[in-house]
Amino acid sequence: MIRHLALAAAFIWVSQAGAQDDALKREIAPTGALRVAIAHSPSASALYVLKDAAAPSGFRGVSVDLGAAMAKKLGVNVVFLPYLASGEIVDGADKNIWDVTFVPVDEARKKVVEFGAPYHLLQSTYLVAPGSNIQKLEDVNREGVRIAGVANTATGRASAVFAPRATTIIVPGVDAGVELIKAGKADAIALSRESLAGLAGQIPGARVLEGGFLNSTTAVAVPKGKPRSLAFVTEFVEAAKASGEVRWAMDAVGLKGSMVAPAGVKP
């Protein structure tokens, strides 16, 4: 009798767990595959991935690795949706285009998406053009300085607040900002320190300034109104930090100096 009761209880528990898993999959992957929104650029960061024809998805980077691992844990296929920048991704949060993404946190975005656990400590600063007399952050905030900022990004918004006297030139993506620098049409570009470190080698004579005008985090995010999804992605990222998976993903694209967010830190 006791054995029969135990078996019945185990069956109920398995059934309930299976139902919960099915409910999660319906919510987080309504098309049957996990649609992961990624941003690409010529320089890798905790946000930006690199184009790579040899990679199965055509891209490689931190959010590609984390997105693929998340889909595997869910037991579904993964589809990567490429964008030029995080602002473009967030603009589509209410359009049922993507299911999960990994983007920098700021207050404006909290009104549009639900942030789960941060996985990266973000600092944004400036790369200044070759020959520029800008030496420190404060020098950027003056009339006549032209700053390339990527549209609708946390870094772009913070730069506009930090340097109101300068002229901000809004660009759709990192590539366009780099072209302005190379053409002598911008004096600085505002991005994360990781992105700028990679770009500096592509623009001889360019320099990355010390310090930062934005100190925040990069975190996993889902559209509003998906509580099961939010709980799942938060648990996933915390586990990925604890296991070293986040650290490995960063190191794999040369971000050995990037800092993994501590356990339990809030977005």
Side-chain angles (χ1 to χ4, degrees), residues 86-182:
S86 58
E88 191 179 7
I89 292 173
V90 174
D91 283 346
D94 62 348
K95 297 178 174 63
N96 192 27
I97 299 171
W98 53 264
D99 304 311
V100 65
T101 192
F102 304 87
V103 294
V105 176
D106 74 354
E107 292 305 312
R109 287 181 176 166
K110 289 181 180 180
K111 300 174 183 178
V112 183
V113 301
E114 295 285 1
F115 281 106
Y119 62 96
H120 166 248
L121 297 181
L122 167 72
Q123 183 180 73
S124 293
T125 184
Y126 298 102
L127 178 143
V128 297
S132 172
N133 60 4
I134 296 172
Q135 298 298 321
K136 56 185 184 296
L137 282 176
E138 291 73 18
D139 295 340
V140 177
N141 184 27
R142 63 190 187 198
E143 293 182 4
V145 174
R146 301 159 300 175
I147 303 170
V150 180
N152 195 22
T153 59
T155 291
R157 282 188 286 271
S159 173
V161 171
F162 177 79
R165 295 179 181 175
T167 298
T168 297
I169 305 170
I170 303 299
V171 294
V174 177
D175 286 359
V178 171
E179 289 306 312
L180 288 178
I181 292 284
K182 289 181 175 179

Side-chain angles (χ1 to χ4, degrees), residues 33-53:
L34 186 67
R35 300 170 296 178
V36 181
I38 57 174
H40 62 88
S41 120
S43 179
S45 73
L47 160 69
Y48 287 110
V49 302
L50 302 171
K51 289 183 178 180
D52 186 348

Side-chain angles (χ1 to χ4, degrees), residues 243-263:
S243 69
E245 189 169 7
V246 172
R247 178 75 269 161
W248 179 88
M250 290 181 178
D251 291 349
V253 283
L255 303 177
K256 296 185 182 297
S258 296
M259 296 183 66
V260 176

